[in-house]
Amino acid sequence: MRGGAAPSLGGRGALTIGTAPAAAWYRRAAMEPAVLARGLGKRYGRVAALAEVSLEIPRGTIVGVLGPSGAGKTTLVRCVGLLARPTEGSLRVLGADAGSADGALRARIGYMPQEAALYEELPARANVRYFGRGVPDDRVDRLLALLGLADRAGDPVLGFSGGMKQRVSLACALARDPELLLLDEPTAGIDPILRVEFWKEFRRLRDEGRTLLVSTHQIDEAVHCDRLLVIREGRVLWEGPPADLLARGGASATARTRAGAVHERRFEDPARGMPPWIAGIGAGEIVELRVRPDTLEDVLVRLIGERSDPGAGGRSSASLDRTAPGG
């Protein structure tokens, strides 16, 4: 991904991704979502990792899954990826019942785990070939070039940095030309520049017709998603576009008057609450007014805190952890 124009996995004109024409994907997209869950639950003994999860993921979108550690993000990704069997509810993936999934359906799904599961003694190219199970060598080479690994394709993964291993892991997930790509903490532990490049690649994949489900702790990555799914303790707290979630935020204001008095106020609805507050102080008396709108992080943390601990006043110590592995 560094230097020069990035190679494309698809040809010009027909927008073909590997062996599957993107036009065919869009025709199917008009008929059914990529993922459809109703009352989904997953229990490990007495522990409910997921409970009553209902969601619909349109094809050709990026959906971000956010929540604190142990929220159920990884469990959800594994259920959708047919790696864990739900204990309750119904789940359809790419138009098929997940309960009767076969190898053909699994071949249409790419999965990038939280930690790179690679054969480190083997070269990068051999890893992609193995996980691709018979994909043409030219596709393997194009993937590695696309991810900036062409000059290290023949080197054992053992000597790679964490970020390079993440790129090899992404190449393995893309090897079989999946329609649905599941990414569990794909940018964890990589540098900011590589994070930007990963998201450029994710958007390119989305634009070519793929559907991406991305689990992340990185709140700033949420704005790159078409839709967000906020979960805690295995339950969905909120689902929708990032802009709609940010619109739920308020603002904090500080006003300083000619007499030196300082007035501070928190507004859950600034458009309605701020004008009468300013009028009460005296608009002509205010010499400085500072307004700080809530960030997406503020809204998310408040949302999670309100739903988990009503006595915490809308704030909670259960903020989104950016470094710990997701649950």
Side-chain angles (χ1 to χ4, degrees), residues 79-99:
C79 285
V80 173
L82 312 179
L83 299 171
R85 184 181 292 273
T87 51
E88 301 166 2
S90 64
L91 175 64
R92 291 183 64 80
V93 179
L94 299 176
D97 184 355

Side-chain angles (χ1 to χ4, degrees), residues 128-192:
V128 181
R129 282 175 178 163
Y130 174 79
F131 287 102
R133 291 175 175 80
V135 300
D137 286 347
D138 62 343
R139 176 170 177 80
V140 173
D141 290 338
R142 286 203 308 273
L143 279 168
L144 292 171
L146 184 71
L147 297 173
L149 292 168
D151 58 343
R152 301 293 301 274
D155 296 347
V157 173
L158 183 64
F160 284 12
S161 67
M164 292 174 68
K165 289 178 181 178
Q166 289 286 83
R167 280 185 272 172
V168 176
S169 186
L170 179 57
C172 292
L174 290 170
R176 301 183 73 180
D177 205 15
E179 296 176 48
L180 175 61
L181 189 58
L182 308 175
L183 307 171
D184 194 0
E185 301 287 347
T187 61
I190 64 175
D191 65 77

Side-chain angles (χ1 to χ4, degrees), residues 42-104:
K42 175 62 178 176
R43 301 187 69 88
Y44 295 98
R46 297 182 178 180
V47 178
L50 292 177
E52 301 179 7
V53 172
S54 295
L55 61 91
E56 185 172 320
I57 299 177
R59 292 177 186 250
T61 59
I62 300 176
V63 176
V65 184
L66 293 97
S69 274
K73 299 187 300 296
T74 294
T75 300
L76 176 62
V77 170
R78 288 179 60 83
C79 285
V80 173
L82 312 179
L83 299 171
R85 184 181 292 273
T87 51
E88 301 166 2
S90 64
L91 175 64
R92 291 183 64 80
V93 179
L94 299 176
D97 184 355
S100 57
D102 56 14

Side-chain angles (χ1 to χ4, degrees), residues 239-256:
E239 189 271 335
D244 287 0
L245 183 59
L246 188 57
R248 294 166 55 105
S252 299
T254 302
R256 185 168 61 85

Side-chain angles (χ1 to χ4, degrees), residues 232 301-318:
R232 179 176 174 82
V301 172
R302 187 171 292 111
L303 172 66
I304 291 171
E306 287 174 348
R307 298 300 178 88
S308 62
D309 182 9
R315 304 292 291 184
S316 171
S317 60

Side-chain angles (χ1 to χ4, degrees), residues 101-121:
D102 56 14
L105 178 59
R106 288 184 169 86
R108 297 163 63 193
I109 302 171
Y111 175 57
M112 181 180 174
Q114 200 173 115
E115 296 183 6
L118 303 170
Y119 291 95
E120 297 201 345
E121 70 278 7

